[in-house]
Structures are given as C-alpha cells and as structure tokens.
Amino acid sequence: MDETTLRLHCVEELDFLPQLDAARIGVAVADGVVCLTGHVATSGEKLAAERAVPQVSGVRAVVERIEVSSPDRLRVGDEELADRCARVIEGDATVPHGSVVVKIENGCITLTGWVERYEQKDAADRALRRLVGVTDIVNTVGIRHPPPVEAAPVRDEAGSVLY
C-alpha cells in the first residue's frame, strides 16, 4: 500500500471516532510509520487517536505528538482539577472507597493505591480521562492478589468403603 493511501485510511479511521475532532489531528506517513500531531481538548481524545491508528492495516509503527491543550475558557487549575478528580473517584461505585489516591501536577494525574481487580483500576482511569484539563494519566494502581484458598482435606471415600 502506498503512503498516500495509508494516510487516507488513517484519516478515515480518525474521522470515524465520535469522541474526537479529527480535523485537529495531523497525519503524516513515511514507510508505514504514522506520525500524529496536533492539539486536542482532553486526554480521552488523545487516547482515542493513539488506539485507532495502529488498527489500520499497513501501519508499522506510530509516533504520537498530540498535545492536550484546553481552550483558555475551559482551563482549570490543578486545585480545581484535584477536587473534580476526587469527586469522580468517590462517586464511582466500581472503585472501592479510599483505594485510589490522586496526585496532580500541571494537569497530569498520577493514580496510586491498591485494588482487588483490574476492572477497578481501569474504571478509575476511564472516569478521569473525560475531564477537561487532564493532560495525561499515569495509572500506577496495583492489583492485590487475594490470599490463596486452602483446600479442605479430602477423605478417601472409596478406600473407606472397600476396606
């Protein structure tokens, strides 16, 4: 497949995403390597583009240079963003209360803590990714493995019947 056709397929894939304004994403292709550039309003839009393009047939690698930059009227400070994040995490029934701690620096959220299941870790990430003002999310939440269940001793039924 030539580079022009591959670029067209990548642009079409981005256009297909309802959560993304594809006009704000630049696509360049060289030898199957796709470079994405531009500015988006949320980290969710950035993630959508990052996940969509590698699915296009012919893409060998992706260079991602998309920046998250909210319009001035939508910018929020780290203090306000921290409050929003805390409320979202506390209101999410999937994430156990008190299991995830949020730290914010220049719009970048770092999640720490421990949960029982991967779905709980992922739910925290997905819930916050939609917030305006989030530039990136680093999810370092660990997953505790439940203690092993000890098997009850098994009686040898056949042996007791035969003897």
Side-chain angles (χ1 to χ4, degrees):
M1 176 182 319
D2 66 30
E3 291 178 358
T4 305
T5 305
L6 181 56
R7 181 185 177 284
L8 178 64
H9 289 309
C10 290
V11 169
E12 288 173 347
E13 187 71 21
L14 294 173
D15 280 338
F16 183 72
L17 300 172
Q19 70 271 36
L20 176 66
D21 181 3
R24 299 179 71 185
I25 305 290
V27 178
V29 177
D31 196 27
V33 176
V34 178
C35 181
L36 300 174
T37 59
H39 294 81
V40 294
T42 67
S43 62
E45 288 181 271
K46 178 180 176 181
L47 183 64
E50 290 172 359
R51 288 183 176 171
V53 170
Q55 297 177 22
V56 175
S57 178
V59 172
R60 294 179 42 237
V62 177
V63 176
E64 185 276 307
R65 294 187 178 139
I66 300 170
E67 294 182 26
V68 178
S69 56
S70 300
D72 287 337
R73 62 182 165 68
L74 297 178
R75 287 189 202 270
V76 295
D78 284 350
E79 294 80 9
E80 183 179 344
L81 186 56
D83 182 56
R84 288 181 185 178
C85 291
R87 282 188 278 138
V88 167
I89 293 291
E90 289 166 2
D92 192 323
T94 311
V95 182
H97 182 71
S99 62
V100 175
V101 177
V102 177
K103 176 189 162 223
I104 300 181
E105 184 175 338
N106 297 323
C108 178
I109 300 172
T110 301
L111 301 175
T112 59
W114 292 93
V115 293
E116 301 296 325
R117 297 187 327 271
Y118 175 80
E119 294 80 15
Q120 295 167 327
K121 173 180 178 167
D122 188 51
D125 190 289
R126 279 185 290 111
L128 299 178
R129 202 163 285 283
R130 295 186 295 258
L131 294 176
V132 171
V134 175
T135 58
D136 200 8
I137 296 180
V138 179
N139 191 342
T140 64
V141 172
I143 300 170
R144 283 191 200 112
H145 295 287
V149 177
E150 292 188 31
V154 178
R155 228 177 60 186
D156 185 1
E157 295 288 329
S160 65
V161 172
L162 294 174
Y163 297 106

